[in-house]
Amino acid sequence: MLDINLIRTKTDEIKQNLLKRTPDLKFDLEKILALDDKRKEILGQLENLRAEKNKVSKTKPTPEIIAQMKANGEEAKKLEGELRLTEDELKTLMSDLPNITADDVVAGGKENNKVIKTFGKKPQFKFTPKDHVELATSLDIVDYERGVKMSGNGFWVYRGDGALLEWALLNYFIEFHRKNKYTFLMPPYLLTEQSAYTSGHLPKFREDLFWTQDKTCLNATSEMMLGNYHRDEILDEEKLPIKYFAYSACFRREAGAYRKEERGMVRGHQFNKIEMFQFTKPEDSWKAFAELLRNAEKLVEGLGLHYQTSQLAAGDCSSAMAKTCDIEVWIPSMEIYKEVSSVSNALDYQARRGNIRFKNKTMNKNEFVHTLNASGLATSRIVPAILEQFQLKDGSVEVPKVLRRFVGKKKLCKS
């Protein structure tokens, strides 16, 4: 949620910034400001009525005073109703607004994304390479058919060395984050509507989430859970930045048809992920962004995978984020890069929704923190990248060196 005072003082600037996401974005800042003015006016009228009531309470009641107080009470009740309706409409309009984007984020959609870094080179094969589905099936490390039988399209089962490889990745990520002094959390998978609102998934992305009959949703990313960990709290300034990482299975509807090249594990309804998250002071959030980005890159580099880092254009950023960089691994069979980590700075957008503040001792006032998140990493596209980039002519696959002590072998071979 944006700061309405910022909208009031920089209306045209905010409007132009929001249009960077898409020229078709529909919003009415003037109506928002008019509703805020109305809200303030009603609050002023209610305050006057309360002041009059307090004044009269100190005098001897007369029939005229009693009648006036009754009329004032009815007027106050009417105003309180108007206030609720005004505040509800204002909150709805404010909730629909996306975050403002950072100055260096260019306008437009994904066609304007910019590659800012490349690591390694595309693998060259002296044989006809297989795709990850062929490799996983021939090595008997992923069972696609039984995954679909059990749960439907978009699900799979890791088995044998495949399960060990998946868990090795998680162990590698966890060990890395612990060495960097991030605190490990294992939060619940189910979240309330308030939690989904704080993260920015509601109201816009309700249909992308899996909902239960109890009106809770399965987390789409650990960011949702971590961002709510300190909701409605005032944090100690001296403890900032607070750095967490969490493991969770993630669940997404992934609405829309699957493209042919996205078969296998490239796109699914459930996947494992480690997420990094930071709560910072406003002046420290871009430093934290750089740290999170470098951490995610180091993890991919440690695996020896060829990847690129792209800075997303405004229209390709999540609506809650001011800036996002994606780390994308090369999938040879698809001849395309696929995202394995999104590194984002939400500024104070999520903190305002979740009322997460810190006591600024210098200014002697409470301020909203900034929140940042980064996948560190998601596994469902890392596994296909490992299988395809490290495959050998005989159909076996080399295990990245950093994973061998967890997997217990140097190669994945046919049994």
Side-chain angles (χ1 to χ4, degrees):
M1 184 174 289
L2 299 181
D3 180 358
I4 196 165
N5 293 319
L6 187 64
I7 296 175
R8 185 175 295 281
T9 57
K10 297 184 177 181
T11 307
D12 290 338
E13 187 177 331
I14 297 298
K15 185 180 298 185
Q16 293 306 312
N17 185 290
L18 294 178
L19 287 172
K20 287 168 64 177
R21 292 185 182 271
T22 169
D24 300 326
L25 187 65
K26 295 180 181 180
F27 56 89
D28 192 341
L29 300 186
E30 287 73 18
K31 184 175 183 180
I32 286 173
L33 294 175
L35 285 168
D36 190 46
D37 288 336
K38 183 179 179 181
R39 180 185 67 84
K40 290 178 181 178
E41 181 183 350
I42 295 173
L43 285 171
Q45 292 173 333
L46 283 169
E47 185 62 31
N48 290 337
L49 289 174
R50 294 188 187 104
E52 186 174 346
K53 180 179 179 180
N54 290 336
K55 180 179 178 182
V56 169
S57 66
K58 299 176 182 178
T59 64
K60 183 177 179 180
T62 64
E64 292 78 12
I65 290 176
I66 292 172
Q68 184 60 50
M69 287 302 97
K70 182 178 179 181
N72 286 0
E74 292 173 352
E75 178 66 14
K77 187 176 181 179
K78 177 184 175 182
L79 288 171
E80 287 168 353
E82 288 184 23
L83 181 63
R84 281 193 297 272
L85 291 174
T86 301
E87 289 181 334
D88 286 347
E89 186 176 3
L90 179 59
K91 182 179 179 181
T92 297
L93 292 178
M94 288 288 289
S95 297
D96 285 339
L97 290 178
N99 201 350
I100 56 174
T101 53
D103 293 340
D104 64 339
V105 174
V106 300
K110 60 177 59 182
E111 69 279 359
N112 290 335
N113 292 352
K114 180 183 178 182
V115 176
I116 59 176
K117 178 181 178 178
T118 301
F119 175 84
K121 296 181 179 180
K122 297 177 183 178
Q124 301 296 320
F125 303 101
K126 295 180 179 180
F127 57 91
T128 302
K130 299 177 181 179
D131 66 37
H132 67 277
V133 176
E134 291 180 90
L135 289 162
T137 302
S138 64
L139 294 171
D140 197 25
I141 60 174
V142 179
D143 194 328
Y144 297 103
E145 291 185 4
R146 289 188 176 92
V148 172
K149 180 177 69 175
M150 293 163 62
S151 304
N153 289 327
F155 294 92
W156 55 85
V157 177
Y158 293 107
R159 56 172 286 140
D161 287 344
L164 286 174
L165 179 63
E166 175 79 1
W167 215 249
L169 284 167
L170 296 173
N171 276 316
Y172 164 56
F173 302 156
I174 289 169
E175 186 176 77
F176 177 89
H177 298 311
R178 290 187 64 205
K179 286 181 178 178
N180 285 333
K181 307 300 182 183
Y182 281 63
T183 300
F184 191 8
L185 298 182
M186 292 189 69
Y189 291 175
L190 286 173
L191 296 159
T192 64
E193 290 198 3
Q194 176 58 48
S195 294
Y197 173 79
T198 296
S199 68
H201 287 77
L202 291 183
K204 187 176 181 180
F205 301 106
R206 179 178 289 274
E207 298 306 313
D208 293 336
L209 303 172
F210 284 104
W211 293 91
T212 74
Q213 65 268 37
D214 299 318
K215 295 184 178 180
T216 56
C217 67
L218 287 166
N219 67 289
T221 166
S222 300
E223 167 208 333
M224 296 177 71
M225 300 174 290
L226 293 172
N228 281 276
Y229 190 60
H230 290 296
R231 195 177 72 223
D232 293 320
E233 294 181 23
I234 298 175
L235 305 178
D236 186 344
E237 181 180 13
E238 295 179 355
K239 293 183 179 179
L240 296 175
I242 298 175
K243 304 177 183 182
Y244 294 120
F245 76 95
Y247 159 77
S248 72
C250 301
F251 306 87
R252 297 180 186 176
R253 285 191 177 277
E254 295 284 6
Y258 281 66
R259 291 181 292 183
K260 183 179 179 181
E261 70 269 20
E262 290 184 329
R263 67 196 185 110
M265 292 172 285
V266 171
R267 190 176 186 218
H269 295 304
Q270 177 183 329
F271 56 94
N272 292 317
K273 185 167 70 157
I274 303 292
E275 186 82 9
M276 295 177 279
F277 203 95
Q278 287 200 32
F279 297 89
T280 76
K281 293 189 288 186
E283 61 267 28
D284 295 333
S285 66
W286 290 115
K287 177 182 177 183
F289 181 87
E291 177 187 307
L292 290 168
L293 179 59
R294 189 65 195 119
N295 282 351
E297 289 176 337
K298 284 180 178 178
L299 284 169
V300 186
E301 290 170 12
L303 292 167
L305 292 169
H306 168 55
Y307 75 88
Q308 67 181 22
T309 301
S310 298
Q311 181 172 314
L312 304 191
D316 203 25
C317 290
S318 168
S319 62
M321 302 304 160
K323 181 177 178 177
T324 296
C325 285
D326 278 358
I327 296 170
E328 304 157 335
V329 295
W330 176 248
I331 308 293
S333 67
M334 298 168 59
E335 295 186 338
I336 198 172
Y337 293 91
K338 281 294 185 178
E339 173 250 317
V340 294
S341 177
S342 279
V343 181
S344 300
N345 189 346
L347 303 177
D348 62 0
Y349 187 90
Q350 293 175 323
R352 287 181 179 276
R353 286 172 168 244
N355 193 30
I356 309 167
R357 298 166 292 166
F358 74 100
K359 181 63 175 290
N360 186 323
K361 295 180 180 179
T362 303
M363 303 293 290
N364 194 31
K365 66 175 184 178
N366 293 331
E367 288 187 50
F368 289 104
V369 298
H370 282 193
T371 59
L372 303 96
N373 68 85
S375 314
L377 299 164
T379 62
S380 59
R381 291 171 179 172
I382 289 287
V383 171
I386 288 173
L387 295 180
E388 293 196 19
Q389 289 195 32
F390 296 152
Q391 63 180 296
L392 301 173
K393 185 177 181 178
D394 63 359
S396 62
V397 174
E398 283 191 308
V399 176
K401 290 181 180 179
V402 294
L403 303 182
R404 290 175 185 175
R405 61 193 176 94
F406 299 116
V407 177
K409 56 182 64 177
K410 294 181 179 181
K411 290 182 182 180
L412 303 179
C413 303
K414 296 180 182 179
S415 56

